[in-house]
Amino acid sequence: DEAFLDLDAPVARVTMPDVPGSFTFCRLMYDGSGFDDPSGSGWSIEYPRAEENLLTRLTQLTLTTMSGWSDGTEGYTVVVATDPELFRCPFLMMASPATASFDEEEVEKLREYLLKGGFLWGDDFWGDASWNRWVALIQRVIPEYPIVDIPPSHPFFSTYYTLEEVPQIP
């Protein structure tokens, strides 16, 4: 949706990669008028460098095959919550989620996505106010599922590597 485009951000790829693979990195594009986050970022922070770095590391450190583009670019794209392509994204990244705002249709589609098994990763919180804003947003989407801390002993933290603690990166 052009209304969400940050004119200072690089041009976003907004279609799915044309070379299939087992993993496509999808970033959620959203209206950034929800909260004045100290990071001053929004959906496009570090786009597309974050995508390129993560996909490079995944191919170096795992056997995961990446989807991609005919021009050789690894498979990442940008979707909005109301785009039917959202349901082709098993992994959805949301950068600076505290800065988002969702209308009712977006809430409904994100809810449908998550209840169908979609995975949403929200990252880049700048303090308690940002975290609390995110909690309020996601509770609109899935109010019956509280956010809980996963202990380091959870299998999630030993899928590829064993993590003894959850690092906090300043």
Side-chain angles (χ1 to χ4, degrees), residues 6 15 18 28 62 73 82-83 92 126 149 155:
D6 176 350
T15 58
D18 56 2
L28 184 64
T62 74
T73 304
T82 56
D83 186 339
L92 182 63
W126 286 64
D149 285 334

Side-chain angles (χ1 to χ4, degrees), residues 8-9 13 18-20 25 29 31 33 37 54 70 79 81 88 92 105 144 148 154 156 170:
D8 295 326
R13 291 188 181 255
D18 56 2
V19 178
F25 186 102
M29 182 188 302
D31 180 3
S33 62
D37 191 42
L54 175 67
S70 298
V79 295
R88 293 182 56 202
L92 182 63
E105 183 182 10
E144 68 275 29
V148 297
H154 191 280
F156 178 82

Side-chain angles (χ1 to χ4, degrees), residues 31-55:
D31 180 3
S33 62
F35 177 73
D36 185 20
D37 191 42
S39 71
S41 51
W43 78 265
S44 63
I45 185 145
E46 298 180 354
Y47 175 84
R49 291 185 324 268
E51 282 78 350
E52 293 164 350
N53 186 41
L54 175 67
L55 295 177

Side-chain angles (χ1 to χ4, degrees), residues 90-108:
F91 178 94
L92 182 63
M93 171 65 177
M94 189 172 179
S96 294
T99 63
S101 62
F102 301 135
D103 64 26
E104 289 308 313
E105 183 182 10
E106 291 168 321
V107 166
E108 179 182 314

Side-chain angles (χ1 to χ4, degrees), residues 54-66 74:
L54 175 67
L55 295 177
T56 297
R57 300 302 171 247
L58 277 172
T59 57
Q60 289 174 337
L61 300 171
T62 74
L63 298 176
T64 305
T65 59
M66 302 298 138
E74 290 175 325

